[in-house]
Structures are given as structure tokens and as C-alpha cells.
Amino acid sequence: MSSPSLNPAQLEAVHHLGGPCLVLAGAGSGKTRVITHKIAKLLQHGLESRQIAAITFTNKAAAEMRERAKALVGARAAKDLVICTFHALGVRMLRADGERIGLKPNFSILDSDDVLGVIRDCAGNTDNALARRWQWTISLWKNQGLDADAAESAAANDDERVAARVMRRYQERLAAYQAVDFDDLIGLPLAMMRRDDEARARWQAMFGHVLVDE
């Protein structure tokens, strides 16, 4: 496939189908255009739509990519493409396989204000500013892949040790509520893939090609 809208370097990325390919480019340089053209190339190469996942960071970017792909390959071919955010893919994975880690398919997703309220309750503290600091610290730890035990071991001072204890109660509360926060939508699928060989193999088999627009 060739296109007058793609330069030689972009065409090289589109035609590379034999393994991982990293494209480094600045904002507005055509990364999304490369991904949508690569989707078309993969379909031409025989991959089914449902075997292609294109992941990005925001709902707006995912919607734009979905529309571009539809315009390029047609509505029928685009219908089964998985084009979504990292968090939306996490939801999909947890709804399908979350029971493997103790999460029922109808789990709730807490927004930032919900999380703040749960943290205040866990700590028995009504100080919003302090609870917000704990919330930020807990989020940072989760994004580093730390659970409450690891966070407490890594705590550098008394404030962080208190935050780690709050984190433990917070995670216990989420488990009892069958709820997750936005950080869990990334961390829990990752933990599940690391621990569960069967689930990991199933998701690896499901997607023959994963494209990330970062």
C-alpha cells in the first residue's frame, strides 16, 4: 500500500509487519495517520479486524482514530477494531477475567471524588487537604506497581508510613465494595497478566497486532 499522504519514513513504519516497531515523532507529525494506515495494511495482509488493537490515552484521541480508520477502511471493516484508551482496555480485560483476581464482572469504577471520600473514611479524618495528599501518594505508588506492603517498606518517613497504612485500609475497602479506581484499571490487568499464564495466553492470542499512539 502506498499513499501520497505519507512520507518515506512513515511508509516504512506502515509496511513493517515483522515485529515491534518504534516510531519517534513530535506532536502534529502524523503518528495517528501512520497508525490508521498501518491498520489498513494489516487488514490487507489478512489480519481480521478483531485481532487489531489500537490504544491511546484520551477518549478524544480514540474517537478521532476510530473515525479516521473508518474513513480509510470502511465502516464494515472498522466495526470490530479495538480502538480505545488504555483505561478502556483495562475495563474490558477486568470485565472478562477479573474474577481470576477476585473481582466480579459488575465491579464499580470510582472517580476522583469517590476515592477521596473512601480515603477520608478509611483514615477517620475529615481534612480534605490531607486526604488529597494521601490520594496523590497512593496513586503514585500504584503507578509504580507497589501494593501497600511494598509502599510501607519503601516509605521514607513517618508521613509516608501513615499513607501506606491508609492505602492498606483503602485497598481492603475497595475489595469489599467490589470497586476499582482509575489507577487499578491499569495496574490490575498488568498484575493479572503477570500472575495468570492462562489469561495472559488468551489475551496474547486475541490480538495479533497492538498499536500504541502515545
Side-chain angles (χ1 to χ4, degrees):
M1 181 187 71
S2 63
S3 170
S5 67
L6 299 177
N7 63 38
Q10 291 170 331
L11 282 171
E12 184 179 357
V14 167
H15 285 270
H16 179 87
L17 305 178
C21 176
L22 175 64
V23 177
L24 297 176
S29 59
K31 294 186 299 296
T32 301
R33 185 164 65 249
V34 168
I35 285 179
T36 54
H37 278 78
K38 187 153 188 171
I39 288 171
K41 182 65 176 178
L42 289 167
L43 293 173
Q44 287 183 354
H45 200 66
L47 222 62
E48 296 182 25
S49 298
R50 59 184 175 80
Q51 295 177 294
I52 301 172
I55 316 299
T56 188
F57 276 95
T58 68
N59 290 324
K60 181 179 178 182
E64 179 184 349
M65 189 186 299
R66 199 174 296 115
E67 288 304 310
R68 288 195 192 185
K70 186 189 297 185
L72 192 60
V73 305
R76 183 174 181 180
K79 180 172 66 72
D80 293 326
L81 292 170
V82 177
I83 299 178
C84 63
T85 64
F86 287 97
H87 291 90
L89 180 61
V91 171
R92 179 187 291 240
M93 296 174 74
L94 292 175
R95 296 286 187 210
D97 285 321
E99 288 182 295
R100 294 174 177 273
I101 54 173
L103 199 59
K104 295 179 181 178
N106 62 343
F107 63 85
S108 301
I109 302 172
L110 305 185
D111 64 20
S112 180
D113 290 338
D114 294 331
V115 169
L116 184 65
V118 174
I119 288 176
R120 280 202 315 262
D121 289 344
C122 289
N125 193 308
T126 58
D127 185 336
N128 268 352
L130 180 57
R132 187 71 74 185
R133 288 202 300 275
W134 285 332
Q135 182 178 1
W136 290 335
T137 300
I138 291 169
S139 177
L140 177 63
W141 282 332
K142 285 190 175 189
N143 283 299
Q144 292 174 339
L146 303 181
D147 59 15
D149 290 335
E152 188 164 12
S153 296
N157 52 51
D158 288 342
D159 288 341
E160 290 189 357
R161 280 184 279 275
V162 170
R165 289 193 286 271
V166 172
M167 181 181 183
R168 180 175 292 105
R169 290 194 291 270
Y170 170 64
Q171 287 303 119
E172 290 170 353
R173 192 73 61 90
L174 290 190
Y177 289 166
Q178 283 292 298
V180 300
D181 58 30
F182 285 116
D183 296 318
D184 291 328
L185 296 179
I186 303 296
L188 290 180
L190 177 60
M192 183 171 65
M193 294 299 97
R194 285 174 171 167
R195 299 172 192 167
D196 193 311
D197 293 342
E198 184 179 341
R200 182 174 64 252
R202 193 169 74 82
W203 285 96
Q204 285 175 334
M206 186 179 303
F207 297 129
H209 220 94
V210 178
L211 307 170
V212 179
D213 188 2
E214 183 174 337

